[in-house]
Amino acid sequence: MNMIQIGVMGVIGVLLASQFKSTKAEYGIYISVAVSIVLFACIADRLDIFIEAVRQMNQYFSIGEGYLSTILKMIGVTYIAEFCCSICKDAGHQTIAVQIELFAKLTILAMGMPVLLALMETIREFLS
């Protein structure tokens, strides 16, 4: 799908959800979630292009495969957390959205620890 189709789908979804929110609020939320899932599937399709480009860049700079994998996982956690938080906030559940954000931040921190430890080890060897 191109950007115009995605934009039109988003605007139509918002208009439908707004129309239902005045009479049946739960239907508006269901429509918002359904449109969001379809749009997220389109985003996931585009991520393949990004991953392939990062792999090609890796050939030029020879970054370790483990580091590249960690970075891509961190990006994935970020996008999924943002997506879920937005849905929760739209549904009026800010507390759950904040908890998802906190969990995502801690997950990214935990994923980055091996990279930080390797950096510290490199610095220690350099100074020795």
Side-chain angles (χ1 to χ4, degrees):
M1 288 191 159
N2 65 26
M3 189 58 218
I4 293 174
Q5 291 171 327
I6 294 295
V8 168
M9 183 186 309
V11 170
I12 290 172
V14 167
L15 292 174
L16 283 173
S18 297
Q19 184 67 29
F20 280 106
K21 277 192 177 185
S22 61
T23 57
K24 295 273 189 174
E26 64 273 6
Y27 291 153
I29 293 170
Y30 297 149
I31 291 170
S32 295
V33 170
V35 170
S36 295
I37 289 171
V38 170
L39 294 177
F40 188 76
C42 295
I43 292 168
D45 184 45
R46 296 288 171 115
L47 286 177
D48 290 338
I49 298 167
F50 172 74
I51 291 170
E52 185 57 37
V54 170
R55 286 196 176 130
Q56 287 178 351
M57 285 189 284
N58 185 34
Q59 293 174 353
Y60 295 117
F61 299 114
S62 78
I63 301 171
E65 191 68 34
Y67 297 123
L68 183 64
S69 173
T70 301
I71 290 169
L72 291 176
K73 286 177 185 177
M74 288 176 167
I75 292 169
V77 167
T78 304
Y79 277 114
I80 291 170
E82 182 65 29
F83 174 74
C84 294
C85 287
S86 296
I87 288 177
C88 290
K89 286 177 183 177
D90 286 346
H93 298 281
Q94 283 78 16
T95 306
I96 295 173
V98 169
Q99 296 300 316
I100 292 170
E101 286 176 348
L102 179 62
F103 184 80
K105 289 174 185 177
L106 291 174
T107 300
I108 291 170
L109 180 65
M111 293 171 92
M113 280 299 154
V115 176
L116 180 61
L117 292 173
L119 177 63
M120 292 174 71
E121 181 66 28
T122 303
I123 292 172
R124 187 178 74 153
E125 288 175 6
F126 181 72
L127 294 175
S128 299

